[in-house]
Amino acid sequence: MAYLAPAEFVTKMVDAGESKLLMSTRDTLIRSYMAGAILALAAAFAVTVTVNTGNALVGAMLFPVGFIMLYLLGFDLLTGVFTLAPLAVFDKRPGATWRAVLRNWSLVFVGNFAGALTVAVFMAIIFTFGWSEAPNAVGQKIGHIGEGRTVGYAAHGAAGMLTLFIRGVMCNWMVSTGVVAAMMSTTVSGKAIGMWMPVMVFFYMGFEHSIVNMFLFPSGLLLGGNFTIMDYLIWNEIPTVLGNLVGGLTFVGATLYSTHYKTAPKRARA
């Protein structure tokens, strides 16, 4: 389980950010579509485990299987590129501009949403036998999640919006730590262990992940959740995306870059 020192894996972070900015539109969309779909399936799996066992910790412990799978396959989540892509701009890599960063973020958002929505439709069909009967226990649980994490925040007004935003920040602090953890090791087992720990924390703590929500909330609407598309966008997805951006870039990307890549000069000896 070979471990790379921080200076080594942070260099890999900057290289990865540059690679993502230079990737073709086709490859960016395919990779982000698959990432959104796999993470959505993992969310459906985790909710199913929670409902069937009555133990949310078991669901949280198993949810990272999807995250690990998609990163080992080289697919891209919006939360990950929030952290990595700007580093290439910070380092003044050739062709790395903020316009290129915004292009990458936009394409990954579209791809993630399309992949998550696909799985949302597929799972809604499964939970209702093709809409021929009421949602099963898992489908009902997903509908209630959508209500609690939209109109539930709205009921608290500005305090609810602040709470939602901070949950988004905390989420990508953990998730992006998982992205970076995959670069700390050169073995599959090391990468998997590194990614598993922070992703489990985010899921069990109920932090807000924009791509997981791209599955949960459309699923909730399809399964009869008592909220609207505007509730979803205003009282979850948009603030969550902004919180994820701040959390990943500030607490993971910028901090690691500034202290392990652009290290400050050492103090002179007395």
Side-chain angles (χ1 to χ4, degrees), residues 143-163:
H144 291 315
I145 291 173
E147 292 173 16
R149 286 160 65 171
T150 51
V151 293
Y153 287 123
H156 291 84
M161 185 65 74
L162 175 62
T163 301

Side-chain angles (χ1 to χ4, degrees), residues 207-231:
F207 298 151
E208 297 285 355
H209 190 280
S210 52
I211 293 83
V212 170
N213 292 352
M214 291 174 184
F215 162 73
L216 289 176
F217 294 87
S219 291
L221 290 168
L222 290 170
L223 295 167
N226 188 25
F227 62 100
T228 67
I229 292 175
M230 291 306 294
D231 288 333

Side-chain angles (χ1 to χ4, degrees), residues 8-66:
E8 296 174 294
F9 68 71
V10 176
T11 299
K12 292 180 66 176
M13 290 170 61
V14 181
D15 292 341
E18 179 183 21
S19 175
K20 294 180 191 308
L21 295 185
L22 299 177
M23 193 183 302
S24 70
T25 298
R26 185 201 68 170
D27 289 343
T28 302
L29 287 173
I30 292 173
R31 295 182 191 190
S32 56
Y33 177 90
M34 292 305 301
I38 291 173
L39 198 70
L41 186 55
F45 169 59
V47 174
T48 301
V49 169
T50 298
V51 170
N52 290 342
T53 64
N55 190 329
L57 179 58
V58 176
M61 290 175 65
L62 295 175
F63 169 75
V65 64

Side-chain angles (χ1 to χ4, degrees), residues 67-92:
F67 184 85
I68 292 168
M69 187 187 311
L70 71 91
Y71 269 103
L72 290 177
L73 289 169
F75 299 145
D76 287 329
L77 291 174
L78 183 64
T79 43
V81 296
F82 274 163
T83 300
L84 299 176
L87 301 184
V89 180
F90 295 164
D91 200 44
K92 297 181 172 60

Side-chain angles (χ1 to χ4, degrees), residues 117-177:
L117 184 61
T118 299
V119 173
V121 173
F122 288 172
M123 295 309 299
I125 292 171
I126 291 171
F127 293 148
T128 62
F129 273 85
W131 287 290
S132 65
E133 61 183 45
N136 64 13
V138 178
Q140 292 174 31
K141 174 68 173 179
I142 290 175
H144 291 315
I145 291 173
E147 292 173 16
R149 286 160 65 171
T150 51
V151 293
Y153 287 123
H156 291 84
M161 185 65 74
L162 175 62
T163 301
L164 170 58
F165 175 77
I166 295 300
R167 282 185 170 179
V169 171
M170 296 296 290
C171 169
N172 209 24
W173 187 348
M174 291 295 96
V175 172
S176 288
T177 298

